Amino acid sequence: QKEVEQDPGPLSVPEGAIVSLNCTYSNSAFQYFMWYRQYSRKGPELLMYTYSSGNKEDGRFTAQVDKSSKYISLFIRDSQPSDSATYLCAMSGAGGTSYGKLTFGQGTILTVHP
Amino acid sequence: NAGVTQTPKFRILKIGQSMTLQCAQDMNHNYMYWYRQDPGMGLKLIYYSVGAGITDKGEVPNGYNVSRSTTEDFPLRLELAAPSQTSVYFCASISNVVGTEAFFGQGTRLTVV
C-alpha cells in the first residue's frame, strides 16, 4: 500500500465549476499537509499549507484535513481555465529527521474548459 | 532572488555515461532535496541534506550520489546512466523555520538512451 494515494484523474470540468481533489494516507506521523500546483514543464508551487486537522481558506481555494480518517481535500470554487494544471498533495512529519521530507501523491491532472 | 536554479534543463545521455545535475539556491536554506518525477507517479525523494557536509538517502537513492560542500549548492551525480533513470529531476530547498514552504527548481528533464 502506498503511503499517499491520490486519484490521478484526469479531471475535466467547465469554467465556474467546483472542483474537489482528494488524497488518503496511511502514515499517522504525517502532521503537515500541502497542496502543490504544477503547470506543464514547470516545478511544483505551493498552493495551500495546513498543519494537523482543520480547514484553511485562501480565496477560491479551501484545504481540509481530517486526520481521524487520514483524508485531505482541496476545493476550488469558481474554477478558471488558468487553474488547469496538475495538483499534487504532499505530506511530511512534524520534525527531526522527517522535517521537510515530502511524500507526494501521484498528482491529479485538472483541465478547466471555457 | 533567483530562488532554486537547476542546470541543465534538458539532457540526453547514453547508457553508461555519467553526468552531474546542478542545483543552487540563494535563500540561505539549510535543507535541500532531490526528487524525481515519473509520469503519473508523483515525486519521489532521492537524497536530501540538512546542511553543508550532511547528506542522507531518501526513498530511491540507488544509482545516484550527492555532495553538499556549501549551503548554496547540492549537485546530484549519476555515475552509470540507465534507462530507468529517464525522468524529470527536481531540486528543492526549505528553511528551518517550521511552517514555511519548500521551493522547487524548474526541473531537469533527463533521457537515457
Side-chain angles (χ1 to χ4, degrees), chain A residues 32 38 41-42 46 99 102, chain B residues 33 37 95 98 101 106:
Chain A
Y32 294 98
Q38 185 178 25
R41 296 183 176 266
K42 298 291 186 183
L46 184 69
Y99 182 73
L102 302 178
Chain B
Y33 308 84
Q37 184 177 32
S95 80
V98 174
E101 68 176 284
Q106 293 295 291

Side-chain angles (χ1 to χ4, degrees), chain A:
Chain A
Q1 181 189 6
K2 292 180 180 177
E3 276 193 297
V4 179
E5 295 275 4
Q6 181 177 2
D7 184 353
L11 198 56
S12 181
V13 301
E15 183 175 356
I18 296 174
V19 176
S20 173
L21 304 167
N22 310 293
C23 288
T24 59
Y25 64 96
S26 59
N27 189 342
S28 300
F30 289 145
Q31 296 286 336
Y32 294 98
F33 304 91
M34 290 141 274
W35 286 94
Y36 281 83
R37 180 172 60 195
Q38 185 178 25
Y39 291 113
S40 181
R41 296 183 176 266
K42 298 291 186 183
E45 295 176 312
L46 184 69
L47 197 58
M48 299 287 285
Y49 190 119
T50 308
Y51 173 68
S52 197
S53 284
N55 294 357
K56 187 173 184 179
E57 188 173 322
D58 185 2
R60 296 184 295 109
F61 299 91
T62 299
Q64 290 184 349
V65 174
D66 182 350
K67 291 191 67 181
S68 63
S69 301
K70 294 189 176 66
Y71 188 85
I72 72 170
S73 301
L74 177 71
F75 297 95
I76 307 174
R77 292 183 298 280
D78 187 25
S79 56
Q80 303 295 309
S82 57
D83 295 329
S84 298
T86 297
Y87 290 79
L88 297 150
C89 64
M91 308 173 191
S92 71
T97 57
S98 298
Y99 182 73
K101 291 162 63 178
L102 302 178
T103 301
F104 284 86
Q106 300 95 308
T108 300
I109 300 170
L110 171 67
T111 302
V112 182
H113 49 87

Side-chain angles (χ1 to χ4, degrees), chain B residues 16-56:
Chain B
Q17 286 185 322
S18 301
M19 78 164 294
T20 299
L21 283 67
Q22 301 291 343
C23 175
Q25 53 92 8
D26 61 0
M27 297 171 282
N28 202 33
H29 288 170
N30 286 331
Y31 295 81
M32 296 187 73
Y33 308 84
W34 274 105
Y35 293 89
R36 60 176 287 172
Q37 184 177 32
D38 300 318
M41 296 297 291
L43 283 77
K44 293 189 184 299
L45 182 64
I46 305 171
Y47 268 95
Y48 66 100
S49 170
V50 302
I54 307 170
T55 62
D56 206 347

